[in-house]
Amino acid sequence: MGYPGAMCASVDDAKLNSFIERVTAGEQRAGARLIRLIDDRDPLAFELLQRLYPHAGNAQIIGVTGNPGSGKSTLVDQLIGAYRAQDKTVAVVAVDPSSPFSGGAILGDRIRMRDHATDPGVFIRSLATRGHLGGLSRSTNDTVTVLDAMGYERVIVETVGVGQDEIEVVKIAETSIVVLVPGMGDDIQAIKAGILEIADVFCVNKADRDGVDRTIKDIRGLQLLAGPIAQDEWEVPIVRTIAPQGVGVDRLVETVTRHRAYMAAPGSTLKEARDREREAHVLRSLARDHLTVALETALAATEGGAEALLDKLVARSTDPYTEAARLVSAVVEVLRGEEKEA
Ligand SMILES: Nc1nc2c(ncn2[C@@H]2O[C@H](COP(=O)(O)OP(=O)(O)O)[C@@H](O)[C@H]2O)c(=O)[nH]1
Ligand SMILES: [Mg+2]
């Protein structure tokens, strides 16, 4: 079985293993190569990830999500600096083609990013994947697995926005920082329940602007609406920052650390619960991708082609109930065929 829809590659076992050794030794060139394979949906990536998986699971994964322009990249830049000051190694995956990391837009932060670029304890990757099946979330999961297996102690995932895709992306994070900025006014109402749900820490960035208190009040209001919190429940903290100046960054880091400690406190099952949730999410999305590809293959292979089938349905010379059942049987055949091939 390869990446869904991909042909199976047959590569020397020893070669694959020695490549894996290089990745787990933290060799940046090997890691970068694997991430490229993932981004290209190369079937080899699938086989490599299968072998790499047991080596991952040690990194602290931190999600940073928020509207474009809210200052996520600037904050991530600061987080890198803060973690490096603690002697922690840091990897960043920016799921944002316009991010300064990807060499898209040229921002002032770029200068500092270059400092990190020469630091062997920092590894920054961007993901360009667009329009692939399950693209964003899937490639991000896979890339995080690589960075984790490479041995980075902190893996930061920066998303482009706050849509459904982004929420999916940060589901793999142990701690999710949601970045907001003052002056959103009634827009805060537009913050979807999904965002409230994924936030472990709120960061009100651009605290040098007017309306910070108002924004914090609005967030508190939303939290209250979401219901009272139990005595030992995590009360999602709100940290104010001015990212370009690094104001509040220490508190942000401290809060993330506190969240990790809270999750993993002795006797607490929260960390385990979140780990299980993440695995369930990854498992389902992988299986779903696979099924979707098989479904499209089966549909394309229907007698006379998919268009002819649609013609018949429109003419009501057949019905979708019968055809859907037939299609599912065809999907099973497609999957059996793949099994034999492997
Ligand atoms: N005034 C002010 N500007 C900021 C702050 N944080 C970021 N910016 C600026 O906002 C713009 C967008 O920042 P960026 O980090 O690229 O946002 P992203 O799209 O969320 O990654 C840049 O010009 C930053 O310099 C802040 O705290 N205050
Ligand atoms: Mg950005």
Side-chain angles (χ1 to χ4, degrees):
M1 187 173 103
Y3 256 131
M7 294 295 289
C8 195
S10 58
V11 178
D12 196 294
D13 217 46
K15 265 193 194 146
L16 289 180
N17 287 337
S18 84
F19 185 77
I20 290 299
E21 268 171 37
R22 287 174 53 204
V23 175
T24 53
E27 229 183 87
Q28 294 196 344
R29 275 188 47 185
R33 168 127 191 264
L34 179 47
I35 291 168
R36 245 187 340 266
L37 291 173
I38 289 167
D39 220 11
D40 293 345
R41 287 302 152 105
D42 192 301
L44 244 187
F46 191 92
E47 287 196 41
L48 288 165
L49 283 163
Q50 285 177 318
R51 287 163 206 246
L52 200 62
Y53 208 72
H55 299 279
N58 300 309
Q60 180 183 7
I61 302 164
I62 302 161
V64 179
T65 181
N67 282 322
S70 55
K72 296 179 299 295
S73 297
T74 317
L75 273 168
V76 168
D77 189 31
Q78 293 284 349
L79 289 176
I80 295 171
Y83 283 129
R84 290 306 288 144
Q86 294 179 6
D87 236 8
K88 301 280 184 226
T89 55
V90 190
V92 176
V93 46
V95 205
D96 177 357
S98 70
S99 155
F101 305 138
S102 64
I106 296 178
L107 296 174
D109 326 319
R110 198 91 187 273
I111 313 298
R112 253 175 303 152
M113 294 309 310
R114 228 179 276 142
D115 292 345
H116 295 314
T118 58
D119 178 351
V122 177
F123 191 54
I124 298 167
R125 293 286 108 187
S126 65
L127 280 184
T129 307
R130 283 274 176 254
H132 280 296
L133 186 70
L136 204 59
S137 140
R138 173 68 179 290
S139 303
T140 313
N141 292 348
D142 295 348
T143 302
V144 167
T145 298
V146 175
L147 299 171
D148 185 340
M150 284 174 81
Y152 289 100
E153 294 166 287
R154 301 288 179 269
V155 175
I156 305 175
V157 181
E158 180 195 338
T159 68
V160 60
V162 289
Q164 195 52 48
D165 278 352
E166 285 77 17
I167 290 174
E168 290 297 306
V169 162
V170 293
K171 271 189 187 158
I172 56 163
E174 180 184 294
T175 304
S176 283
I177 304 173
V178 171
V179 184
L180 301 168
V181 293
M184 295 185 303
D186 292 337
D187 289 354
I188 197 128
Q189 302 302 336
I191 299 172
K192 292 143 210 114
I195 281 292
L196 203 60
E197 221 171 86
I198 57 160
D200 298 305
V201 178
F202 279 114
C203 171
V204 178
N205 189 39
K206 307 203 179 182
D208 50 329
R209 290 200 181 162
D210 289 340
V212 188
D213 293 334
R214 172 69 207 271
T215 303
I216 290 173
K217 237 169 113 186
D218 286 347
I219 299 169
R220 289 268 178 255
L222 281 179
Q223 285 175 324
L224 277 176
L225 277 181
I229 46 174
Q231 202 173 23
D232 50 359
E233 207 176 322
W234 176 254
E235 187 177 353
V236 179
I238 306 174
V239 180
R240 28 177 118 196
T241 55
I242 307 172
Q245 297 161 32
V247 174
V249 171
D250 285 348
R251 274 225 36 223
L252 187 61
V253 169
E254 184 261 324
T255 307
V256 170
T257 306
R258 200 156 52 80
H259 181 249
R260 181 178 173 80
Y262 168 81
M263 298 279 288
S268 166
T269 54
L270 286 170
K271 169 86 169 76
E272 200 205 326
R274 184 150 310 185
D275 285 348
R276 295 177 73 87
E277 230 173 81
R278 184 194 60 232
E279 295 308 316
H281 168 71
V282 171
L283 181 67
R284 282 209 177 84
S285 68
L286 275 171
R288 209 179 293 124
D289 281 5
H290 203 94
L291 287 172
T292 307
V293 171
L295 175 63
E296 292 310 316
T297 307
L299 190 57
T302 46
E303 220 185 299
E307 293 306 319
L309 175 58
L310 294 181
D311 288 342
K312 277 191 254 168
L313 284 166
V314 170
R316 297 196 184 240
S317 62
T318 183
D319 66 274
Y321 309 98
T322 307
E323 296 306 330
R326 196 173 286 161
L327 199 51
V328 170
S329 302
V331 167
V332 173
E333 287 310 311
V334 168
L335 294 174
R336 281 216 181 102
E338 279 177 19
E339 224 167 80
K340 260 185 226 145
E341 233 175 77

